[in-house]
Amino acid sequence: MSNAISVNQLTFTYPNQSQATLQIENWHVEKNQKVFLHGPSGTGKSTLLNVLSGILTPSSGELTILGNAIGKLSAGKRDKFRANHLGYVFQQFNLIPYLSVLDNLNLARRFASNKKPKMSNQALLADLNISTDLHKKPVQQLSIGQQQRVAIARALVNQPELIIVDEPTSALDQQNSDRFMQVLLEQVNNTQSTLVFVSHDWRLAERFDQAVALADINSAGRA
Amino acid sequence: MFLTLAAKSLINRKASVLLTIFAMTVSIFVLIGVEHVREQAKASFASTVSGTDLIVGAKTSQLNLLLYSVFRIGSPTNNISWQAYQKLAAHKQVEWAIPISLGDSHKGYRVLGTNQDYFLHYRYAQKTALSFAQGKQFHDLLDVVLGSEVAKALNYQLGDKIVLSHGIGNTSFHQHDKHPFVVTGILAPTGTPVDQTLHVSLQGIEAIHHHGHSAQALTPKSITAMMLGLKSKLATFHIQRSINNYKQEPLMAVLPGVALAELWQMMTVLENTLSLIAVFVLVAALLGLSAMLIASLRERQQELILLRNIGASSWFVFALIELEAILMCLVSISLAIIALYTGINGFSDALISEFGLQISTDFLNQNTLIYLAIIVLLTSLSALLPAIGAYKNSKQLR
């Protein structure tokens, strides 16, 4: 029970393809760990993230997320599980552009059903340096840096145990990128959640407890 | 939150959404408008004559007789003799007989020659008798009683002198200006052709055409048609048969209800054609809606993926597209209702004076609500294809 992610003999093949996109013998992420996953595009990264979040189900093998065999849950339960226990931040399009900052957070809250005491939107946004005058603005009026910080707030709003972050800084300049990394790691430390940080940039790996290359664990497509 | 999301998403794509809503509005307007005018026209026709058992005229088609005697449409082919009228009016089964003499006009409105029985026995709608808004029925030779629309459109008051012309054109060359008539009464509105009619005595009609004013010269030689009320409805067919077999001259008697039914039958083709066109317009608008939603899926791909990632089910995505379509439909319905309401209000005067059609604004009856419900249902069906597309996309099985 000390693993946040536990993968065993997992394969995933798209319905219209003969070759597997994912083939992972064995991969574990311990709870409260911050893991750097090196995953340039073309290594099955998006597929792996969709399998971890339960949008896709494994073709074979075992996948346990936070003690739940997620591949064996019904579609509806996987959706609820994702809303309650997982938080996502992507490279871009983390927010509904025409909704306000607060509406975006409330939308994420709406899908969750857990009874955990939640942080208020105000407190969360204050922690992430989003000033109150931005709260009611449509997010498309915010800068990219601000949007990515709101994205962290959105990901944390349901206090997820597992946070998955995918190339979150590639659209940001150096200053915003540093700031993003700093507030993200701060928040993860505060909430004691597990973090999987996917990036092609090895330079970021030093901030994490462990680093692993997706190419090393995914043997799909190898001769 | 669900509703807010759908509404804000639509507002975010206002250009294409507005065009779609506009197309839907036009089609719903046409559909509800056609249905409403159809029902109103039917009701308006059916309420024109009531309580009359037989209409008698010269031999022609029963539809023609009904049209010229009751609706003042078209021209009579022939007249019936004054003797025939007197004989029928005195028949022991006949309770009352209204003579009708047509053929003259005033500024495009028909002039009807008749006698006091008209005001006593003529019924319309639910056996409603004619009533006077002002004044009283004609009494003297050159008195005239106006239908409400005539008085309103030509702005005539009691006591005004007006000149009637021979023939039924608006600009008849032969004006009977030696004999101006005096307005003695104005009828209350009926919503029937009575409103567009000027009523004078039969003697008045004769006075227009002859110069002598002797009692003998003023006795009509013939009339156009007559309406009969019978003492017993059971005698209707018997009387009708004996009139149709009248030896002295070729007469014909028709039952107004039967003739009206024949009129419906003729109008059914037109009605169905109009309805069919309205339905096709709606189908075109719904196809447009479907195409617009499908086209929008591509640009919204990331938005839908995002919703999935924060915990939305594929069904949520499906329902979101459906809700957007239904929202657009409801906005269109509201706009169409407003447009129809203002349209009817704006054109009701023109409809009455041009076509004698009284169209009310109470089109939101049970029938219309059923139509609107069907439209909403069809909209959700048209949104099925894009909604299923979004559902499949959201499964990420590329």
Side-chain angles (χ1 to χ4, degrees), chain A residues 14-16 47 50 55-56 79 82-83 90 92-96 98-99 103 107 110-111 140 154, chain B residues 1-2 5 8-9 12 300 302-303 306-314 316 394-398:
Chain A
Y14 282 101
N16 49 358
T47 308
N50 279 335
I55 287 177
L56 296 175
D79 293 331
R82 182 165 65 250
F90 292 99
Q92 56 183 7
F93 220 98
N94 283 298
L95 307 161
I96 306 278
Y98 48 82
L99 291 185
D103 280 347
L107 185 66
R110 184 201 174 279
F111 290 113
Q140 56 200 358
R154 210 279 332 283
Chain B
M1 197 66 213
F2 187 33
L5 181 66
K8 288 198 171 162
S9 156
N12 185 49
R300 302 177 69 192
Q302 286 188 302
E303 183 185 325
L306 169 65
L307 284 173
R308 288 281 281 145
N309 276 319
I310 63 175
S313 64
S314 298
F316 179 93
S394 78
K395 293 244 176 210
Q396 293 275 301
L397 291 169
R398 44 171 183 175

Side-chain angles (χ1 to χ4, degrees), chain A residues 11-84:
Chain A
T11 67
F12 180 83
T13 314
Y14 282 101
N16 49 358
Q17 287 179 359
S18 53
Q19 281 265 322
T21 307
L22 284 183
Q23 192 168 346
I24 301 175
E25 296 273 315
N26 221 304
W27 181 49
H28 302 283
V29 174
E30 281 178 38
K31 273 193 175 168
N32 304 335
Q33 285 274 304
K34 294 192 278 293
V35 177
F36 178 90
L37 183 64
H38 181 252
S41 46
T43 52
K45 180 188 72 174
S46 312
T47 308
L48 174 63
L49 296 184
N50 279 335
V51 169
L52 290 180
S53 68
I55 287 177
L56 296 175
T57 50
S59 308
S60 70
E62 283 171 30
L63 169 64
T64 313
I65 308 279
L66 304 166
N68 290 275
I70 192 159
K72 298 199 168 62
L73 296 177
S74 71
K77 281 190 174 151
R78 289 203 304 273
D79 293 331
K80 267 280 169 264
F81 183 83
R82 182 165 65 250
N84 286 334

Side-chain angles (χ1 to χ4, degrees), chain B residues 310-327:
Chain B
I310 63 175
S313 64
S314 298
W315 288 111
F316 179 93
V317 172
F318 175 90
L320 182 66
I321 305 292
E322 280 285 348
L323 181 66
E324 288 182 5
I326 288 169
L327 275 181

